[in-house]
Amino acid sequence: MEIVILAVVIAVVVLGALGGLIVGSRRRKPLPPPPPKAPDITAPPAEPHVGEEAETPRDEPRRTIEEVDLPGGPAPVVVEEPPVAEAPGIEIEVPEPTAGRLVRLRARLSRSQNALGQGLLTLLSREHLDEDTWEEIEDTLLTADVGVQPTQELVERLRERVKVLGTRTPEELRGLLREELLKLVGTDLDRTVKTEPEGRKPGIVMVVGVNGTGKTTTTGKLARVLVADGRTVVLGAADTFRAAAADQLQTWGERVGAHTVRGPEAGDPASVAFDAVKEGKEMGVDVVLIDTAGRLHTKTGLMDELGKVKRVVEKHAPLDEVLLVLDATTGQNGLVQARVFAEVVDITGIVLTKLDGTAKGGIVVAVQRELGVPVKLVGLGEGADDLAPFEPEAFVDALIGD
């Protein structure tokens, strides 16, 4: 029995020793190292550990140095970043001087106006001026959009002077016609665009008109006229109903370094106009030009809103100018538009656009008679500097030619 017990004890000791050897050998066996982790270069890099950037030319991709933990210690990894695009600079243009601009554009004006001036000279040069000839002279004036009342006055004066003059040389006729047309156009009217109010800044000019007359373009060109004369300008894009109007006006302003105030599309035009004058005051500029939305003169609601813009602006200061832009090619229809606008806002001056096209020069006389205010500016083409101060002498000389 003792032998059996001894054998069992020996067996247990042997088994325990063998188990300890197996476990010890397993503990001493080294485990394989984990595979290296590849850096993620697609994710946007955080702040660099080292904060060091490689020096590269401006137009090459920038490389940022980062530390990435790898087996054997940190190693630098270069992460490519796209080059930063630089905004192109806006070149400020220098507009043409306004002095004598209409004279420089005379050829462009005369090409479309010879029907009036040359037509009258041809008729007056006839040897015998009978009633039929005088009727033709009247028809020529009416066709040129001079208007009934001014036509009758001019024909009456021409009759009297030709009768006294007797024999007429071409030079005498030209001088006679020039004098009478100048009287008709008016040389004693103040055609200055009022932008220098006494004792305050800025001068405030509001531009109004019907859709399609070139109102926003005229506002931009007027900014160029003022800048050419050494004035500083803020533009108010109060035409919030036409999507491209504010962009168009801002482009005109950027060309000459004028700041543009604009609001949200379909926003309140009066609010934009108010903010434009406010910013103009804060910036200390000379003139604020406010471009309003084109109005159908037959739409009462739109015209009332134009009156609201005027009232809101005048909470800052009185308007110095309200310029009505008319398309010279619309003739007598333009006079109907002018009447309605004059009832809503006090028009102080007329801008006639497209006078180089099929327009007839007589519209200058007719619109002045209709509103009792002068034509102050004329547009003679699509060029940036084709808006000119109206000069009666240069205009009449272009009508009758050399």
Side-chain angles (χ1 to χ4, degrees):
M1 185 66 178
E2 292 178 356
I3 295 172
V4 173
I5 293 171
L6 182 60
V8 171
V9 171
I10 293 171
V12 171
V13 172
V14 171
L15 290 172
L18 289 173
L21 289 171
I22 293 171
V23 172
S25 65
R26 286 180 178 176
R27 285 179 180 174
R28 287 191 299 270
K29 186 177 180 180
L31 296 174
K37 182 179 178 182
D40 183 7
I41 66 173
T42 61
E47 289 292 327
H49 288 238
V50 180
E52 177 184 353
E53 291 186 359
E55 293 186 2
T56 59
R58 182 179 298 177
D59 56 349
E60 292 185 5
R62 188 174 56 174
R63 299 182 296 170
T64 303
I65 309 299
E66 290 186 344
E67 283 187 354
V68 181
D69 292 331
L70 292 177
V77 175
V78 178
V79 180
E80 298 285 341
E81 292 184 358
V84 179
E86 295 187 0
I90 298 174
E91 184 179 351
I92 304 299
E93 299 177 7
V94 179
E96 285 187 18
T98 58
R101 186 179 285 186
L102 188 60
V103 175
R104 296 196 299 274
L105 298 171
R106 175 179 168 180
R108 190 174 301 170
L109 176 64
S110 62
R111 281 197 299 269
S112 62
Q113 307 305 322
N114 282 345
L116 174 58
Q118 294 300 322
L120 290 176
L121 279 175
T122 300
L123 291 170
L124 290 170
S125 298
R126 290 181 179 176
E127 186 175 352
H128 299 290
L129 296 178
D130 54 18
E131 288 301 318
D132 290 340
T133 302
W134 288 112
E135 286 184 10
E136 287 185 55
I137 291 173
E138 284 190 8
D139 291 342
T140 300
L141 291 166
L142 292 172
T143 304
D145 290 330
V146 172
V148 175
Q149 187 65 31
T151 292
Q152 291 175 347
E153 292 176 10
L154 180 58
V155 169
E156 188 62 31
R157 291 201 301 268
L158 286 173
R159 275 177 177 266
E160 291 178 3
R161 295 196 62 180
V162 167
K163 191 173 184 179
V164 171
L165 186 63
T167 305
R168 305 170 303 279
T169 65
E171 291 75 15
E172 289 172 331
L173 281 177
R174 188 178 302 278
L176 170 64
L177 186 58
R178 185 179 188 276
E179 288 179 23
E180 294 302 330
L181 286 175
L182 278 174
K183 288 180 184 177
L184 208 58
V185 172
T187 57
D188 55 348
L189 298 174
D190 183 5
R191 301 182 187 274
T192 307
V193 179
K194 300 293 190 300
T195 56
E196 299 182 63
E198 186 176 349
R200 66 172 171 86
K201 274 189 178 184
I204 307 171
V205 179
M206 187 165 75
V207 183
V208 302
V210 176
N211 283 318
T213 57
K215 181 177 46 54
T216 298
T217 299
T218 297
T219 306
K221 290 183 178 182
L222 178 55
R224 294 179 66 89
V225 169
L226 294 170
V227 169
D229 290 338
R231 319 301 301 286
T232 53
V233 179
V234 161
L235 296 170
D239 184 352
T240 59
F241 298 115
R242 188 164 60 91
D247 293 336
Q248 183 183 356
L249 191 65
Q250 184 167 349
T251 299
W252 278 103
E254 287 173 347
R255 290 177 181 174
V256 292
H259 175 61
T260 301
V261 177
R262 53 189 297 178
E265 187 177 339
D268 182 14
S271 175
V272 176
F274 184 87
D275 290 342
V277 178
K278 180 181 177 183
E279 291 196 31
K281 280 185 171 181
E282 293 171 353
M283 295 171 65
V285 300
D286 297 314
V287 188
V288 174
L289 296 178
I290 301 171
D291 176 35
T292 60
R295 315 277 162 170
L296 294 174
H297 59 286
T298 56
K299 299 293 184 182
T300 305
L302 291 176
M303 296 301 291
D304 290 344
E305 191 172 69
L306 184 61
K308 176 188 172 184
V309 173
K310 180 178 182 290
R311 291 192 301 273
V312 168
V313 168
E314 289 182 331
K315 291 181 180 180
H316 281 297
L319 283 168
D320 298 291
E321 285 278 6
V322 179
L323 298 177
L324 174 61
V325 180
L326 291 177
D327 182 341
T329 63
T330 60
Q332 296 297 313
N333 187 48
L335 300 183
V336 178
Q337 300 170 8
R339 290 189 203 107
V340 180
F341 276 93
E343 292 171 1
V344 178
V345 288
D346 296 325
I347 303 298
T348 60
I350 305 295
V351 182
L352 280 176
T353 62
K354 308 177 188 178
L355 200 57
D356 63 320
T358 58
K360 290 119 178 172
I363 190 65
V364 172
V365 176
V367 73
Q368 289 184 158
R369 285 291 187 94
E370 182 65 35
L371 296 183
V373 296
V375 171
K376 294 192 172 185
L377 297 162
V378 289
L380 297 169
E382 299 297 327
D385 292 317
D386 288 347
L387 184 70
F390 183 75
E391 302 165 17
E393 291 82 1
F395 178 73
V396 170
D397 288 340
L399 286 184
I400 61 178
D402 296 325

